[in-house]
Structures are given as C-alpha cells and as structure tokens.
Amino acid sequence: MGKNITVYDKKFTLYIPSRKIQKAISGIAKRINKDFAGKRPVFISVLNGSFRFTADLMSKINIECEVSFVKVASYSGTRSTGKINTVIGLNENLRGRSIIILEDIVDSGNTIQKVAAELKKHSPEQVKIATMFFKPHAYKKQILLDYVGMKVPNDFLVGYGLDYNGLGRNLSDIYILNL
Ligand code: 5GP
Ligand code: MG
C-alpha cells in the first residue's frame, strides 16, 4: 500500500522514494565528474522546479564548476496569439564554456529545446543537458538528453521541486496523480 497525499482537490500516491532519487543523482554526478574534469563547466539551472535537483546534484559534484540560474517566462506576444517563451536571468559570458543545463523534468521537450537554443546563441564550446526526470512517451523533440536521472510514465507528478498549482515542491519524494 502506497502512501497517499492530497494536494488541493487531487489525490496522489507515493511513487519514487527520496533514496531512489538520490541514488540516480549520484549516478549522474559520477558521470559529470568524469566527463567534465578540468573543463570548469557552468551549470545552468532552470527555475523553479530544478532547485532541489540542482542543490542535491551540486552536493555530489567534486570538480571545479560554476552554477547559475535562469527562468523560462512565457508571455503572450503582441502580434501572435501563441505563447512566447523567453529565457530570463542569463548574464554571464558563456563564450567557449562548457554548459550543462539542469532541468527537473522533460515532458514534450519544448522548454529544454528553447533553453538549449538560447544558450547556443552565446557561442559556448558545448551545451549538454541533465534532467532528473524524463517522460519518453511525451517527448516530441530530437535533441539528445545527455544525463537522465529516471524515466517516468506520461502521468502528472508532484514533489521534489515539481508543483501542483504551487504546492508540493517541498516534498522529498515523488508522488503520482491517482487516475
Ligand atoms: P515541456 O516543456 O518539456 O513540455 O515541459 C517541461 C515543464 O513542464 C517542466 O519543467 C515542468 O515545469 C512541467 N512539467 C512537466 N511534467 C510535469 C509533471 O508531471 N508534474 C509537474 N508538476 N510539472 C511537470
Ligand atoms: Mg522545469
């Protein structure tokens, strides 16, 4: 019997316990420590959801590195009816640098594609992607995800940085929406 929680009107069941998340992060950290030794990478964490993944990953990174944060803000364009996503908060010189984007979860891939494209405009040496969670059945893009913590089904999750209407980011475990 899984542990159940209620967030607003919805019921969720414990799906991934904290220790499994931490174990997956250790695996990513081990690979990054090896792949980026001597390269002084810049981690670019995509807020809000990635704050826990970023903090836990950084506690396991033992090479020289920098950490910075961006946000993807969406607004309605004045000429088009569609939502336009814009990356805000980027103010370091990334020319020639090795960048590792940190995401909480990749779903359709829209967000990560936008962020990666935006960063590539800054002439970095390389742009890699690390995501804690990945929904392969929802993914619609071609861009390669270099470091994936865990694959998850195409269902709604909360916890470990992921929210439901602003709540649940503080939970250390991942919960899945009851269907
Ligand atoms: P994408 O642009 O890849 O479709 O979606 C990425 C963003 O959607 C994530 O950064 C996250 O904010 C949100 N998202 C995707 N799947 C989930 C989920 O299962 N739960 C929550 N809380 N947010 C999600
Ligand atoms: Mg995100």
Side-chain angles (χ1 to χ4, degrees), residues 85-104:
N85 286 328
T86 166
V87 180
I88 60 170
L90 203 60
N91 38 33
E92 34 276 301
N93 184 3
L94 299 173
R95 180 172 290 275
R97 301 296 302 271
S98 292
I99 297 174
I100 305 164
I101 303 172
L102 301 181
E103 256 292 22
D104 48 358

Side-chain angles (χ1 to χ4, degrees), residues 25-175:
I25 294 173
S26 295
I28 294 178
K30 208 172 161 184
R31 290 175 56 204
I32 290 177
N33 283 330
K34 185 164 159 273
D35 296 348
F36 289 87
K39 289 194 170 291
R40 198 182 287 177
V42 191
F43 291 96
I44 306 255
S45 169
V46 185
L47 293 171
N48 293 325
S50 301
F51 75 100
R52 293 196 68 141
F53 174 47
T54 302
D56 287 338
L57 181 68
M58 287 310 111
S59 72
K60 298 174 167 89
I61 292 293
N62 55 27
I63 56 171
E64 227 179 40
C65 64
E66 295 176 27
V67 191
S68 189
F69 297 84
V70 296
K71 243 181 155 163
V72 178
S74 56
Y75 61 93
S76 300
T78 48
R79 280 160 189 271
S80 78
T81 46
K83 284 259 174 75
I84 297 166
N85 286 328
T86 166
V87 180
I88 60 170
L90 203 60
N91 38 33
E92 34 276 301
N93 184 3
L94 299 173
R95 180 172 290 275
R97 301 296 302 271
S98 292
I99 297 174
I100 305 164
I101 303 172
L102 301 181
E103 256 292 22
D104 48 358
I105 186 163
V106 174
D107 188 307
S108 69
N110 287 333
T111 307
I112 199 69
Q113 176 162 300
K114 175 72 192 174
V115 174
E118 209 50 51
L119 290 172
K120 281 173 187 165
K121 290 181 190 166
H122 293 252
S123 309
E125 183 191 311
Q126 55 177 333
V127 177
K128 300 287 182 189
I129 296 166
T131 186
M132 182 60 230
F133 303 107
F134 174 44
K135 294 181 176 173
H137 298 293
Y139 196 55
K140 293 191 184 73
K141 306 292 177 185
Q142 307 303 322
I143 183 170
L144 180 79
L145 305 176
D146 304 278
Y147 306 93
V148 173
M150 272 180 210
K151 289 178 184 164
V152 293
N154 197 5
D155 294 313
F156 189 75
L157 308 174
V158 288
Y160 199 72
L162 298 171
D163 73 308
Y164 170 48
N165 282 347
L167 296 184
R169 295 191 196 276
N170 55 309
L171 300 165
S172 295
D173 307 300
I174 284 284
Y175 291 79

